[in-house]
Amino acid sequence: MSTPTWEAAADLVVVGTGVAGLTAALDAAEAGLRVVVVTKDAAEEGSTRWAQGGVAVVLGDIPGDTLDAHIADTLAAGGGLNDEAAVATIIRGGPAAVRRLRERGALFDARGSRLERTREGGHSAFRVVHAGGDATGAEIERALVAAARGLALLTGHLAVDAVRDTSGRVAGLAVLDDEGRPGLLRAPAVLLASGGYGQLYASTTNPGTSTGDGVALALRAGATAADLEFVQFHPTVLYTGPAVGRRPLVTEAVRGEGAVLRDRTGTRFMVGIHPLADLAPRDVVAAAITRRMAETGADCMFLDATALDGFAERFPTVFASCREAGIDPRREPIPVTPAAHYACGGIVADVDGRTSVPGLYAAGEVARTGLHGANRLASNSLLEGLVVAERAVRAIAADLAVPRSAPSGLIVPAPAVAVADRGIVQRAMSVFAGIGRDAAGLAAASDVVEAATRLATPIDRAGVEDAALTLLAQAVLAAAGTRRETRGCHVRTDFPERDDVWQRSSLAVALDECGRPVVTADLLAGVA
Ligand code: SIN
C-alpha cells in the first residue's frame, strides 16, 4: 500500500459492522476503550442483515430442550471436526448474549412475554428465536446500528492490511478511505469481523461485500486459516433461471414449519436419505438436492409450502422475493436450488477471538473457532458472532492491560499481490469447487485461476477485493484437493465416503514465502 496520507489512533480498530463487529464495538466502548470501527460500505450492508432463520439458543423455557441437546446437534452436524470445548463454551454463552442483545434493543417475535421459536435443519428442538418473521438479521442489524450511534464509525473505509511492528505484533491497520486515500489507523489491537467469502462463487446468498478481505488480510499478516474447504451451500435459494450474484434465500425455517422438498414429478426425495428427512442438516439436504437435479436433469427442485398457514405473515421476506419472481408460495411450490452461503472455516481463532498473531483478533464468520466443524448447524452463526465478540473484547482489554513497549519500525505486507479477474475465479469455483468436487476438477480450477492471475498492487476497493478472492480461491482449492474424503460440506465425487483417517484432521493453511497459500498442518492432530 502507498504511503499513508492521514493517520488516526485508537486502542482497538474493529473491521466490520455486522453482529460481531458492532457487538464488539459497543462492548469495547462500554469497557472504556477508544474504538474505531471501519466498514467498506454503509454500516448495514454486510451479511448479518440478510440472515433470515434466527438465532439458535436454549433459553430454558422449551420443555425437553437443553444446552446439552444444542451441543449434541452442533456436533452431529459438524461431522466430527468441531472443537468440542469451543462448542460447549459458545453454546453455553448463548443465553446471556441473546439477553444482552435484547437489552440493546433487538425485538424478537414473541407471544406475550415468551419468545417464539422455530426449527431448522439438524435441530432436535424448536429453539431458533426470530424477528420480523424471517427478517432476524435485519432486526439485529437495525438494533445494533442504532445502539452504535455516537461511536467512531468510518463507513466507506476499506481495510487493506494489518500493520505490524518489528516484534510481529499488530500496530494498526492500513485502510483506503471513502475517497480512496491511503490512511493508517494506529492501534495495538485489530478485531476482524468482516464476514465470509460467498462471493467466491457465482451464485450466493451473500451480499457483494462478502469477498474474504478479512481472511486474506490475516493470512498476509502471518495468521493461519483452517477448514477452508468447508464452504456451506444453503439448500434453498429461490431459483429464477441462471443468474449470478446474491440470490434470495428461502429460509430453512420454511421446512421447519412443515414445507417439504419435491422433485419435478412431485416426489418427496428426502425421505429415506436421513432420519430427519427434509430437516436433515444443511450439508445433507444441499447434497441431496444437487444429486436429484443431476439424476433428473432438472435445473431446480421444489419446496412445497402450500400446506402452511399464514405464509405471507410468517415469512414476509421470502414471500416478497417469491412474488417479485411471479410465484405464489401459498398456491404453488417454490423453485429452489443450492447456493454458496457460509464459510465454516476462516482465520484460526480461539473462543476469545485471539489469532496466532499478537494483537490480531477475529470473530464471526471470518473466524474459525471450531464451533462449526465440517458443516455449520443452522442459526449458530449469529450466536457465535454475539458470544465470541463479547469474549474477544474482554480478552483485548486484558491483553492491553499488560505493559508493552511502544511499536518500533512498522511492517506492511508486500504491496504486489496475486490478482485474477473476479468473474473467471467465480466461474471456476462454481463449476469445479461447489457441491461435488474431484481431483481433476480442482486441478482444472487451479489452472484457470493460475492462468488468470497477475501480480499487481491494488489501489482501490475492486482491486483489494479481487486480490482477496484470488487468495481465497487458491486456499480453498489447496485445502479441498488435500482432503481426499467426503465430510460435511466437502463432497468429493472421487472419494464419496467419509474416511476415519481424516476424523480428527482440520487442515490449516498459511502463506509460503512467495505469498501462496499452502496446507501447512493438520491442526487437530498436530501433524505436518
Ligand atoms: C436460514 O434461515 O435458512 C439461514 C440461517 C442460517 O444460515 O443459519
Side-chain angles (χ1 to χ4, degrees):
M1 166 162 180
S2 353
T3 315
T5 58
W6 57 270
E7 278 195 28
D11 298 320
L12 168 65
V13 177
V14 173
V15 182
T17 50
V19 65
L22 288 179
T23 298
L26 287 161
D27 281 8
E30 281 173 24
L33 298 179
R34 290 176 308 150
V35 57
V36 173
V37 186
V38 300
T39 181
K40 63 184 176 181
D41 240 310
E44 304 81 5
E45 288 305 311
S47 287
T48 293
R49 73 176 264 219
W50 299 103
Q52 292 188 356
V55 185
V57 65
V58 176
L59 296 175
D61 59 339
I62 299 290
D65 196 19
T66 61
L67 287 163
D68 285 343
H70 188 181
I71 290 168
D73 291 348
T74 301
L75 296 174
L81 279 195
N82 317 70
D83 177 325
E84 292 187 21
V87 172
T89 300
I90 293 170
I91 301 292
R92 292 188 192 287
V98 168
R99 201 164 42 244
R100 279 189 288 276
L101 177 63
R102 294 178 72 195
E103 285 162 8
R104 285 188 166 140
L107 296 171
F108 288 93
D109 296 333
R111 262 178 226 276
S113 60
R114 194 168 166 282
L115 294 187
E116 291 183 357
R117 310 301 151 82
T118 192
R119 192 172 163 198
E120 290 182 73
H123 286 278
S124 58
F126 279 74
R127 67 165 71 98
V128 176
V129 296
H130 49 85
D134 59 4
T136 312
E139 169 57 15
I140 291 174
E141 191 64 29
R142 180 205 63 73
L144 290 176
V145 168
R149 225 163 267 141
L151 296 190
L153 173 57
L154 303 178
T155 56
H157 283 58
L158 176 70
V160 178
D161 268 312
V163 174
R164 286 174 298 152
D165 66 16
T166 44
S167 75
R169 198 191 155 82
V170 162
L173 186 75
V175 300
L176 286 176
D177 72 11
D178 48 0
E179 293 175 13
R181 293 173 308 185
L184 175 61
L185 291 168
R186 289 183 184 268
V190 171
L191 171 70
L192 299 172
S194 49
Y197 42 89
Q199 289 291 328
L200 206 47
Y201 292 83
S203 172
T204 173
T205 61
N206 293 188
T209 50
S210 300
T211 48
D213 314 355
V215 179
L217 179 155
L219 282 169
R220 287 197 299 269
T224 302
D227 292 340
L228 298 179
E229 64 275 35
F230 299 113
V231 176
Q232 183 174 71
F233 282 70
H234 195 286
T236 57
V237 304
L238 180 62
Y239 178 74
T240 52
V244 295
R246 195 187 70 76
R247 312 303 306 144
L249 184 64
V250 180
T251 174
E252 279 197 306
V254 177
R255 276 178 284 129
E257 305 284 345
V260 294
L261 286 158
R262 299 186 190 279
D263 66 16
R264 62 180 167 190
T265 68
T267 306
R268 287 187 62 184
F269 57 90
M270 285 308 301
V271 178
I273 288 185
H274 189 279
L276 291 172
D278 295 89
L279 276 177
R282 194 169 280 177
D283 55 339
V284 176
V285 182
I289 291 178
T290 305
R291 267 197 316 276
R292 193 65 158 198
M293 283 165 52
E295 283 160 12
T296 59
D299 293 329
C300 64
M301 290 287 115
F302 295 91
L303 183 60
D304 184 355
T306 53
L308 270 60
D309 288 332
F311 188 97
E313 296 74 35
R314 174 63 185 85
F315 299 109
T317 313
V318 177
F319 186 68
S321 304
C322 289
R323 295 306 289 146
E324 207 171 304
I327 296 151
D328 186 345
R330 296 168 302 188
R331 295 187 175 80
E332 59 191 318
I334 307 167
V336 290
T337 182
H341 181 60
Y342 192 86
C344 298
I347 308 160
V348 176
D350 64 16
V351 287
D352 297 313
R354 289 188 181 96
T355 73
S356 57
V357 177
L360 187 65
Y361 304 80
E365 189 175 356
V366 72
R368 178 269 184 207
T369 59
L371 173 65
H372 308 310
N375 170 58
R376 176 177 63 93
L377 183 67
S379 286
N380 266 357
S381 49
L382 294 172
L383 182 79
E384 183 187 38
L386 287 168
V387 175
V388 177
E390 289 189 356
R391 295 179 62 94
V393 170
R394 288 200 290 277
I396 290 164
D399 292 350
L400 293 185
V402 176
R404 62 187 180 283
S405 45
S408 60
L410 299 186
I411 305 166
V412 186
V417 289
V419 186
D421 175 86
R422 178 180 314 208
I424 293 175
V425 170
Q426 289 170 335
R427 276 191 296 280
M429 294 301 289
S430 302
V431 172
F432 297 117
I435 303 174
R437 314 156 162 183
D438 62 19
L442 293 169
S446 295
D447 289 348
V448 170
V449 173
E450 192 67 46
T453 297
R454 66 198 190 296
L455 268 189
T457 302
I459 53 162
D460 57 14
R461 173 171 167 173
V464 172
E465 289 182 344
D466 286 352
L469 288 169
T470 305
L471 186 54
L472 260 303
Q474 293 170 335
V476 170
L477 292 170
T482 304
R483 183 176 288 281
R484 291 184 298 280
E485 66 158 351
T486 289
R487 184 183 297 270
C489 314
H490 175 66
V491 179
R492 286 280 302 246
T493 51
D494 50 351
F495 295 96
E497 304 299 331
R498 191 185 282 197
D499 183 344
D500 284 347
V501 168
W502 295 89
Q503 179 66 26
R504 299 297 303 157
S505 295
S506 199
L507 297 175
V509 170
L511 300 193
D512 66 13
E513 60 285 355
C514 304
R516 281 192 70 86
V518 286
V519 175
T520 55
D522 178 337
L523 210 64
L524 299 179
V527 178

